[in-house]
Amino acid sequence: MLAASAFAAVVATGIVPAATSSAGLPACAAAQFDLRIQKPKVDDPARPHQYDVVLTNKGAACTVQGFPGVDLTGPKDPTFGATYSLPRQAVSAQPLTVQPRNAVVAILTYQPGSWVPTTLVVTPPDTTAQLRVPWPSGVGVARQDGATHPGTYIGSLSPL
């Protein structure tokens, strides 16, 4: 029964845990991904200020694990500058195989504030190349650079 439900999950998402995929798939390269940011399909009322950071595979099957590096860029803050590098959520990450035309998502949780970024910059795991998309117009974020428990952070990648 477990195998049937696992098969149904693979069919539904196109993403399988890397441990169950065929051996030898390469790590996903940044150039394989299209990046978009969107409101979550289901908002968590306990965390109402979230966006989905979605990476869609436009290339061959590959594997990915971990957290994307995420920076918000915008006007220069007098104390912190023009770039806000988001910390990672304190959770573990599973390796995933991403089939062509399928996507993975990391949830960006933020505290509203007066600093309005202009661009979301994402570095996929195990890469150094950056992908960029415009930050939603007029959405302000509270800068918490250096905070020990910031309310703004990025989650690990998971199936979309």
Side-chain angles (χ1 to χ4, degrees):
M1 188 66 168
L2 180 60
S5 63
F7 177 74
V10 169
V11 171
T13 67
I15 299 173
V16 296
T20 64
S21 68
S22 59
L25 286 177
C28 298
Q32 285 183 256
F33 288 123
D34 279 329
L35 170 64
R36 73 180 186 278
I37 184 172
Q38 65 188 28
K39 284 303 266 176
K41 290 181 178 155
V42 178
D43 278 333
D44 178 349
R47 296 182 181 161
H49 305 290
Q50 294 182 326
Y51 281 105
D52 286 343
V53 176
V54 181
L55 296 168
T56 302
N57 184 1
K58 60 184 181 178
C62 58
T63 61
V64 66
Q65 178 179 358
F67 297 80
V70 175
D71 294 329
L72 299 177
T73 62
K76 186 174 182 178
D77 179 270
T79 304
F80 303 115
T83 301
Y84 180 17
S85 296
L86 301 187
R88 295 173 175 163
Q89 184 179 19
V91 297
S92 61
Q94 291 189 63
L96 301 169
T97 295
V98 189
Q99 297 297 329
R101 296 177 304 282
N102 286 284
V104 289
V105 62
I107 297 173
L108 187 155
T109 301
Y110 69 96
Q111 290 295 319
S114 60
W115 185 72
V116 181
T118 56
T119 307
L120 173 77
V121 181
V122 173
T123 307
D126 300 319
T127 69
T128 57
Q130 297 178 325
L131 307 170
R132 299 169 189 275
V133 294
W135 180 254
S137 180
V139 177
V141 175
R143 294 285 299 254
Q144 298 175 307
D145 303 64
T148 48
H149 298 291
T152 300
Y153 53 87
I154 190 70
S156 67
L157 289 171
S158 62
L160 179 64

